Amino acid sequence: MKHTLSVLVENKPGVLSRIAGLFARRGYNIDSLAVGRTEDPAVSRMTIVVEGDERVVEQVTKQLHKLVDVIKLWDMTNEEYVDRELILIKVHADPATRAEIMQIVDIFRARIVDIGRNSLIIECTGDAGKINAIESALRPFGLRELVRTGKIALARGQKQKD
Amino acid sequence: MSITGAEALIKSLEAEGVEVIFGYPGGAVLSIYDALRESSIKHVLVRQEQAAVHAASGYSRVTGRPGVCLATSGPGATNLVTGIATAYMDSIPVIAITGQVATGMVGTDAFQEVDIFGITMPITKHNYLVQKAEDLPRIVREAFHIAKTGRPGPVLIDIPRDVSGVLLEKYEPVTQVDLRGYKPTYRGHPSQIRNLAQMIKEAEKPLIYAGGGILRSGAHEELLALAERINAPVTTTLLGLGGFPENHPLSLGMLGMHGTPYANLAVQQCDLLIGLGVRFDDRVTLSVEHFAPNAKVVHVDIDPAEIGKNVLVDLPIVGDVRLVLEDLLGLVEEKEHPEWIEEIHRLKKEYPLTYGDGKSKLRPQYILEKLAELLRGKEAIVTSDVGQHQMWAAQYGKYVKPNSFLTSGGLGTMGYGVPAAVGAQVGAPKATVVAVTGDGSFQMHMAELATATENNLPIKILLFNNSYLGLVKQLQHFFVEGRYTGVEFTGNPDFVRLVSAYRNACGYRITKPEEVEPVLKEALHNGRLTLIECVISDQELVYPVVPNDKGLDQMIQFPGEE
Ligand SMILES: Cc1ncc(C[n+]2csc(CCOP(=O)(O)OP(=O)(O)O)c2C)c(N)n1
Ligand SMILES: [Mg+2]
């Protein structure tokens, strides 16, 4: 099962490598990892999606907690939370297919952000389900290049407590 | 008054109460060595940097304070790696300080540049790459705090040469630490401790399984009180030896792969297994599925990540073992289990730890028994290397005081014994320090004889010479049908002559059992660096042996004399 962990870390050199190293060394699988600073510039938030059963995820969270640079972390999987991912897709588009692609873009409330001679760059945000759906909807036109940010997430309601 | 970064570093170390640094200099630590000249801190110059970490570890284990070691950048730093990993696996507080190329050169593959910060991430409790000299007092304070609190462990501080060389306006001491991500849990959860008291009340065959955590938290008195109060036998891990007096009737000695037969059998029979400061290591449990099959398992440890890692437990308690035991002792009542105690006596009688005849030829077990006899009642510290001799030292040493047996348990690092003895003797100048070693292990760090001589450290080196990497040979004997490969030494030196080449040092060779007692007696009292070579048979095996995939009751036992 996939778990979504929200991890507040000190914004210090080496933190990302500590965390990535921990996952690699202990054989945990990272599905995605997104990191950026928070309202406090000294603190970054990592959203980590990890695959594993309860026991593995328990070990992952305990091992993360042991890192001095990890301030707090939550397993949000069973909580109410909002999550988003951003995708940029460069899709093959000739005059014959352009209209159809634009229709798909509309349906997903995505945006066209660049037009080339034979391609379009499309930007879309949403949860993983939606992102997967737009990706497969556009696939038949020929995906040139694609980049996804990985999931970021925040718990709903009040600020998260321990 | 302005001071250099290096001086700020040394002042900060002095503020932590550091009295000695084990180190080896180089270009990237020039200013640190320069600052050391003016300091009250003594420097012990080792012969290879790995030995500096082992010495710091030995020093830490006997003094209870973090040991400090220092090395230059690049090869100096990488030579520390095995030592740091050794300390990490055994939860020993060590501060490793390394020089680094100047900040502007970092990342350019400069001369003697190596990313020791990156390299040691997985083998330190925490580490630092210092960016500004102003940060040094805070970082040193944090490093010591992290190293010695919670589950102890090594912390590395990597200092670029410009950071140690730069002039600071002034030195501002730091006394507080503010680490929002580091808050160990010390007190166990009261309701969990009540549950433990209840489980103890209900148990008919309780057994205590005590580890290095007892020594790290200083819980040996509480452990003794608990064992006596509830009448539970106590078995210790290799690292826990000395945490419970082995001359006590409730002591079962060591458990595990080469544990005593009665300890291993008792574990398989008990109905309550109380793990205190342990980690259910694979050398202890062997096959996890068959481990303590009849027992409810309790696990007390300060590191939450250890709980549930290797075995599922019925009752987890996160906390400092000493504090948890203190709370528990307020709750548990006296208990008797005459039948269980009788069963323990039967196991000890019917399944003793034996090696047969020690009188007609020279046997390592006999020598270690004699050593234990001669050290009894003395302030004595035994260190060991890794191999068969280590297991015999664990089995026959009869340790009664905490931190009187220092060995590399978690990593099993050959070469630990002699440098650890150097550090131990520096930390405990009055103690009798004996390094039990093998011909293989000794040769990994025999250069440290010079360190011992130079510092007038009268350590005793008890070297078991079987001309083999005995423990590996033993593995080949049992598990690859005696196909011995790469384990024989035909070029060993004359160890007695070798040690005699050092100033104020002497050597003895023992080949017969009747020489053991007189030679040991003389060696222990001669006040000099001494090596005692014991020439033993290469046919000796460590018994019992529990194969990896078997339960603890499936031991291969001593077969008796041929
Ligand atoms: C640094 C290191 N290298 C290799 C090993 C594997 N190893 C474990 S025991 C052993 C043999 C030790 O030989 P010796 O010191 O002579 O002790 P003996 O077993 O003969 O008593 C070896 C090679 C190790 N533990 N550490
Ligand atoms: Mg040997």
Side-chain angles (χ1 to χ4, degrees):
Chain A
M1 187 187 157
K2 283 191 174 45
H3 285 251
T4 304
L5 309 179
S6 183
V7 189
L8 288 180
V9 300
E10 298 286 352
N11 187 5
K12 285 190 181 151
V15 185
L16 183 59
S17 134
R18 272 185 216 285
I19 295 201
L22 177 84
F23 276 80
R25 181 166 87 252
R26 297 205 180 255
Y28 310 138
N29 288 323
I30 301 186
D31 227 69
S32 76
L33 187 156
V35 55
R37 64 162 196 78
T38 62
E39 69 281 5
D40 175 352
V43 175
S44 299
R45 186 187 294 271
M46 293 189 180
T47 307
I48 305 174
V49 180
V50 52
E51 174 79 52
D53 61 23
E54 289 298 326
R55 214 172 149 192
V56 169
V57 175
E58 190 186 316
Q59 261 298 307
V60 171
T61 54
K62 284 173 165 180
Q63 294 294 348
L64 283 171
H65 260 302
K66 272 176 76 165
L67 298 178
V68 174
D69 285 340
V70 169
I71 303 164
K72 275 183 186 170
L73 73 97
W74 305 268
D75 182 352
M76 307 216 288
T77 316
N78 301 316
E79 309 290 318
E80 290 277 315
Y81 66 92
V82 180
D83 65 304
R84 287 291 179 275
E85 217 184 305
L86 167 66
I87 190 171
L88 293 176
I89 310 173
K90 190 183 289 172
V91 63
H92 180 82
D94 50 41
T97 54
R98 222 163 244 188
E100 204 181 334
I101 291 172
M102 281 161 83
Q103 222 171 12
I104 292 172
V105 167
D106 260 0
I107 291 168
F108 282 95
R109 275 178 283 139
R111 295 199 303 153
I112 293 168
V113 290
D114 188 55
I115 299 185
R117 242 160 54 80
N118 280 315
S119 67
L120 297 170
I121 296 181
I122 293 155
E123 165 201 310
C124 182
T125 60
D127 62 19
K130 177 176 163 187
I131 301 295
N132 291 340
I134 191 170
E135 190 186 320
S136 41
L138 292 173
R139 187 170 293 278
F141 301 96
L143 301 183
R144 290 267 177 86
E145 270 182 306
L146 174 163
V147 59
R148 294 171 72 152
T149 56
K151 174 164 157 178
I152 58 168
L154 274 185
R156 287 183 192 273
Q158 299 231 303
K159 202 166 169 172
Q160 208 146 14
K161 303 230 175 62
D162 304 73
Chain B
M1 198 192 84
S2 63
I3 86 172
T4 65
E7 285 163 351
L9 168 74
I10 299 298
K11 271 190 187 301
S12 309
L13 294 175
E14 286 168 354
E16 296 295 333
V18 173
E19 289 169 356
V20 58
I21 291 178
F22 302 92
Y24 209 93
V29 287
L30 273 190
S31 16
I32 299 179
Y33 271 83
D34 201 31
L36 210 44
R37 262 164 52 94
E38 302 290 311
S39 167
S40 61
I41 298 174
K42 177 183 152 90
H43 179 258
V44 174
L45 179 63
V46 295
R47 291 301 186 270
Q48 203 259 28
E49 291 85 350
Q50 186 188 131
V53 199
H54 293 330
S57 157
Y59 177 87
S60 170
R61 287 165 107 148
V62 305
T63 62
R65 284 176 278 136
V68 182
C69 59
L70 171 60
T72 192
S73 66
T78 48
N79 271 350
L80 295 179
V81 169
T82 302
I84 294 174
T86 304
Y88 183 69
M89 289 293 274
D90 291 344
S91 306
I92 310 298
V94 164
I95 306 290
I97 299 168
T98 47
Q100 181 55 279
V101 302
T103 37
M105 306 281 278
V106 167
T108 66
D109 302 317
F111 176 62
Q112 295 197 327
E113 178 185 0
V114 76
D115 175 17
I116 199 66
F117 176 68
I119 289 173
T120 57
M121 246 178 218
I123 53 168
T124 50
K125 187 169 170 188
H126 193 58
N127 62 4
Y128 295 89
L129 172 54
V130 186
Q131 311 280 354
K132 310 195 293 294
E134 290 79 2
D135 293 341
L136 275 165
R138 174 183 58 80
I139 287 175
V140 169
R141 184 73 275 277
E142 285 179 6
F144 275 78
H145 177 73
I146 292 168
K148 66 188 182 189
T149 58
R151 177 178 180 174
V155 176
L156 177 130
I157 307 174
D158 193 25
I159 309 177
R161 59 188 302 167
D162 55 326
V163 170
S164 53
V166 76
L167 276 179
L168 287 169
E169 301 269 291
K170 57 177 190 297
Y171 166 68
E172 281 185 86
V174 173
T175 51
Q176 296 294 325
V177 276
D178 176 22
L179 291 165
R180 48 189 167 177
Y182 179 71
K183 304 237 158 44
T185 307
Y186 293 105
R187 285 276 168 195
H189 201 286
S191 73
Q192 297 290 79
I193 297 177
R194 274 198 301 278
N195 287 341
L196 175 52
Q198 186 60 30
M199 286 165 89
I200 289 172
K201 198 166 175 181
E202 286 162 13
E204 284 167 13
K205 303 178 192 172
L207 186 132
I208 296 171
Y209 149 42
I214 298 291
L215 307 174
R216 299 283 81 73
S217 74
H220 48 281
E221 283 171 13
E222 287 77 6
L223 171 63
L224 180 63
L226 177 71
E228 289 184 341
R229 173 102 51 96
I230 67 172
N231 252 292
V234 179
T235 179
T236 70
T237 64
L238 178 66
L239 282 179
L241 286 171
F244 189 79
E246 289 197 76
N247 55 1
H248 194 285
L250 287 170
S251 169
L252 296 175
M254 182 175 75
L255 82 166
M257 184 169 192
H258 298 300
T260 67
Y262 41 89
N264 286 345
L265 293 169
V267 169
Q268 300 304 80
Q269 285 188 25
C270 70
D271 65 357
L272 176 65
L273 184 75
I274 308 172
L276 302 176
V278 292
R279 54 192 183 88
F280 294 84
D281 179 70
D282 52 277
R283 294 289 120 145
V284 161
T285 61
L286 284 301
S287 159
V288 181
E289 298 89 79
H290 299 107
F291 181 70
N294 303 307
K296 287 207 170 115
V297 177
V298 179
H299 191 179
V300 181
D301 201 273
I302 195 152
D303 182 357
E306 283 304 336
I307 293 177
K309 185 181 80 178
N310 294 342
V311 298
L312 292 172
V313 297
D314 298 285
L315 180 71
I317 301 179
V318 176
D320 177 80
V321 187
R322 194 180 67 74
L323 296 177
V324 170
L325 290 185
E326 200 177 275
D327 291 345
L328 181 67
L329 285 165
L331 297 173
V332 284
E333 287 154 26
E334 295 205 1
K335 266 210 87 173
E336 301 287 337
H337 339 260
E339 281 174 26
W340 176 227
I341 296 299
E342 205 162 296
E343 174 62 7
I344 295 291
H345 286 315
R346 184 186 73 82
L347 293 176
K348 282 189 177 179
K349 212 175 337 41
E350 287 181 25
Y351 304 94
L353 181 70
T354 53
Y355 58 91
D357 173 26
K359 297 270 157 53
S360 54
K361 68 174 186 166
L362 187 63
R363 307 290 306 278
Q365 303 90 338
Y366 171 80
I367 300 167
L368 287 157
E369 278 179 344
K370 279 285 165 219
L371 176 71
E373 240 174 78
L374 294 171
L375 294 178
R376 194 167 300 153
K378 285 215 175 84
E379 187 192 350
I381 295 150
V382 175
T383 72
S384 96
D385 258 304
V386 174
Q388 291 180 312
H389 63 276
Q390 174 190 36
M391 291 299 115
W392 292 319
Q395 293 175 327
Y396 295 95
K398 291 275 173 275
Y399 305 99
V400 296
K401 287 201 203 114
N403 303 310
S404 57
F405 181 58
L406 317 181
T407 193
S408 162
L411 203 65
T413 307
M414 286 172 71
Y416 181 76
V418 171
V422 164
Q425 187 78 80
V426 170
K430 296 213 183 70
T432 304
V433 179
V434 182
V436 174
T437 186
D439 49 326
S441 297
F442 177 68
Q443 291 183 77
M444 289 226 166
H445 276 311
M446 63 186 179
E448 297 310 317
L449 287 173
T451 311
T453 303
E454 229 161 61
N455 292 278
N456 298 312
L457 303 172
I459 59 170
K460 314 299 166 191
I461 297 164
L462 188 61
L463 189 157
F464 290 92
N465 187 1
N466 51 10
S467 299
Y468 271 94
L469 295 168
L471 196 63
V472 180
K473 182 182 186 228
Q474 161 157 358
L475 290 174
Q476 293 175 346
H477 167 84
F478 280 116
F479 305 114
V480 294
E481 287 128 32
R483 292 189 298 274
Y484 302 131
T485 319
V487 290
E488 189 182 4
F489 285 128
T490 54
N492 274 345
D494 177 333
F495 291 106
V496 173
R497 276 182 63 198
L498 178 82
V499 70
S500 307
Y502 289 84
R503 179 168 17 98
N504 197 21
C506 65
Y508 302 87
R509 180 174 293 114
I510 300 179
T511 55
K512 298 197 227 29
E514 54 278 16
E515 294 165 344
V516 174
E517 201 167 322
V519 170
L520 284 182
K521 269 191 181 150
E522 195 179 315
L524 292 176
H525 292 104
N526 66 8
R528 298 157 75 183
L529 169 63
T530 305
L531 183 145
I532 307 134
E533 179 191 8
C534 307
V535 182
I536 60 168
S537 157
D538 61 20
Q539 302 297 308
E540 290 284 355
L541 295 167
V542 179
Y543 285 110
V545 187
V546 185
N548 279 330
D549 53 344
K550 294 282 178 6
L552 286 181
D553 46 353
Q554 306 286 302
M555 294 168 273
I556 306 172
Q557 297 236 39
F558 176 62
E561 316 283 347
E562 288 88 74

